[in-house]
């Protein structure tokens, strides 16, 4: 099941109900892939895995937030990269603010803001590339074995034969 922004235009309660339904489908063995923009804090942990991209590059791919346990892979990743999520802040908002920093600070022009964004994205991509999450992803997606040679000979395709 592929969905593009299934919660767009919905109020928070309805969006949560939609994602809970999708989670039940995934738990039942169905593959669910969807794009969600700025999910509320109660929605983000319902996803098994999160793919975050910026400028066409992978910033993070791995487990979503886990507010119930001692470890939280998503927030730990950003904390290790120098961007810890403040207490009581929605991790999705925090992460998007880091990745999409285009707002200008006092005395900062648009060019400086874009340079800061590119700096954040480059550093996060480098952090991901060195992380165990990347190694795990690479191991799961090892190259497909080469196909066996074609059993046909070129002469088999010649219409004169």
């Amino acid at each position: 099941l592929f969905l593009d922004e299934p919660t767009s235009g919905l109020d928070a309660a309805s969006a949560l109900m939609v994602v809970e339904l999708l989670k039940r489908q995934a738990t039942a063995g169905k593959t669910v892939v969807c794009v969600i923009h700025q999910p509320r804090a109660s929605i983000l942990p319902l996803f098994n895995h999160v793919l975050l991209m910026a400028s066409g590059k992978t910033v993070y791919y791995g487990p979503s937030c886990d507010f119930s346990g001692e470890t939280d892979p998503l927030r730990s990743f950003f904390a290790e990269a120098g961007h810890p999520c403040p207490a009581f802040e929605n991790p999705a908002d925090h992460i998007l603010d880091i990745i999409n920093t285009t707002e200008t600070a006092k005395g900062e022009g648009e060019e400086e803001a874009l340079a800061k964004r590119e700096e954040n994205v480059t550093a996060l991509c480098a952090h991901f590339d060195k992380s165990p999450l990347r190694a795990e992803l690479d191991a799961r997606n090892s190259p497909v074995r080469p196909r066996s040679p074609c059993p046909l000979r070129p002469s088999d395709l010649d219409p004169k034969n």
Side-chain angles (χ1 to χ4, degrees):
L1 182 60
F2 289 90
L3 302 150
D4 185 18
E5 300 187 45
T7 60
S8 288
L10 299 178
D11 62 77
S14 297
L16 180 60
M17 287 191 312
V18 166
V19 175
E20 286 173 338
L21 173 68
L22 295 174
K23 177 73 174 182
R24 284 195 300 274
Q25 293 297 309
T27 302
K30 303 228 175 10
T31 299
V32 179
V33 177
C34 64
V35 174
I36 299 281
H37 290 280
Q38 293 181 292
R40 62 188 263 187
S42 59
I43 287 178
L44 190 57
L46 295 174
F47 290 93
N48 294 338
H49 287 86
V50 175
L51 171 63
L52 300 172
M53 297 184 74
S55 302
K57 303 173 202 157
T58 300
V59 172
Y60 175 87
Y61 176 75
S64 187
C65 288
D66 180 7
F67 300 130
S68 63
E70 291 291 317
T71 62
D72 184 336
L74 180 61
R75 289 189 295 174
S76 294
F77 173 84
F78 279 88
E80 291 165 5
H83 301 283
C85 184
F88 309 110
E89 185 171 344
N90 179 350
D93 290 340
H94 174 70
I95 291 164
L96 290 175
D97 286 347
I98 294 164
I99 294 172
N100 295 320
T101 300
T102 54
E103 298 173 8
T104 57
K106 275 188 181 177
E108 188 177 70
E110 188 175 326
E111 286 182 24
E112 289 87 358
L114 291 172
K116 173 107 172 135
R117 177 188 186 277
E118 191 59 35
E119 180 183 316
N120 283 346
V121 169
T122 300
L124 286 167
C125 289
H127 183 68
F128 176 72
D129 285 341
K130 292 184 273 183
S131 74
L133 293 166
R134 179 56 187 235
E136 179 184 324
L137 180 63
D138 288 344
R140 272 194 310 213
N141 295 318
S142 62
V144 177
R145 285 178 278 192
R147 289 181 165 173
S148 58
C150 180
L152 296 175
R153 297 179 304 269
S155 60
D156 293 337
L157 301 175
D158 188 352
K160 295 178 187 171
N161 289 338

